[in-house]
Amino acid sequence: MSRMDAQRELLDLTEYRHRKQLIAEEQTRAVYDSAMEYCRQETNIREIVRAKMIFTKRFAPVARDSLTENVFSEWLLFDYKTIKGTTLFFQFLQTRSLSPSKKTLGAVMMTVPWEPVSIEGHEGGEPICMPLLGDHREPVRLRGMSDVKKDRTYFVRKVPLVTHEWTLGPVFEAGSPDLVDTMKKRYGQRYQENGGLWRAFLKEEAPEFILTD
């Protein structure tokens, strides 16, 4: 194979992976939007009342301010355990007819917690994020995230796709620069000694830190 042919093949592969990334992003958006609609339309009042009681007791009153309402809506879909012991997102996956690729994406989306990241800069108009918790801390280019500022900390759910990770749902700015240190301390007190993982900790505790001033 000539050098020119090798370069052309590499360009073709890069373009192919780019197209696959865009398809995966669109499918992720579609699954997320459908799941949110399912949550709004199919969740009964009894479940909503129960969820609000748990949320209020653990994290904050479900007030009329947009931040708390947005956090509650996301938590209700992905993290709240229903009377049946499952999440509403899991019920959505079980009851809706989805393509195999969307079901696979849904299985990944179901496990993604909010996690704190710092914005290290921007590349090609997209933010470069540094995860602040966990064992694998490397800068990642995160698509689907806008209006974020360098050196600020944000809570984000991010889904690994083909070439880049993709933002799932809204992004919330951390209210205090000391939050990450507080989270590490809490993790050490409640989870680490029992062998708990960062992901499990964030699934359980992240809303409290998002809503902390």
Side-chain angles (χ1 to χ4, degrees), residues 43-53 80 83:
T43 310
N44 63 56
I45 296 299
R46 180 187 177 193
E47 201 76 76
I48 294 291
V49 171
R50 180 176 181 269
K52 286 185 176 181
M53 289 178 61
Y80 163 69
I83 295 170

Side-chain angles (χ1 to χ4, degrees), residues 48-173:
I48 294 291
V49 171
R50 180 176 181 269
K52 286 185 176 181
M53 289 178 61
I54 294 172
F55 188 89
T56 298
K57 183 176 181 180
R58 291 196 59 195
F59 307 121
V62 184
R64 290 184 176 274
D65 66 277
S66 59
L67 172 61
T68 308
E69 289 182 347
N70 286 340
V71 173
F72 174 73
S73 296
E74 295 290 318
W75 174 84
L76 177 67
L77 176 61
F78 288 105
D79 304 316
Y80 163 69
K81 294 294 178 64
T82 67
I83 295 170
K84 296 179 179 178
T86 62
T87 63
L88 291 170
F89 189 79
F90 177 80
Q91 291 183 16
F92 161 77
L93 293 178
Q94 293 295 303
T95 58
R96 290 298 184 265
S97 178
L98 300 173
S99 67
S101 59
K102 286 184 177 180
K103 276 195 173 293
T104 300
L105 277 172
V108 175
M109 292 162 67
M110 186 167 57
T111 67
V112 172
W114 277 306
E115 60 178 293
V117 300
S118 66
I119 306 303
E120 304 294 297
H122 290 77
E123 182 179 309
E126 295 165 351
I128 304 300
C129 304
M130 173 67 78
L132 299 177
L133 297 178
D135 298 325
H136 303 289
R137 296 181 54 198
E138 297 179 353
V140 294
R141 185 172 170 180
L142 190 58
R143 288 174 58 84
M145 195 176 177
S146 60
D147 299 325
V148 293
K149 299 177 181 178
K150 188 176 184 297
D151 299 326
R152 299 282 183 86
T153 298
Y154 297 87
F155 285 89
V156 57
R157 296 185 197 265
K158 49 191 181 69
V159 182
L161 296 178
V162 181
T163 60
H164 296 90
E165 295 186 300
W166 175 257
T167 307
L168 182 64
V171 173
F172 301 104
E173 185 172 358

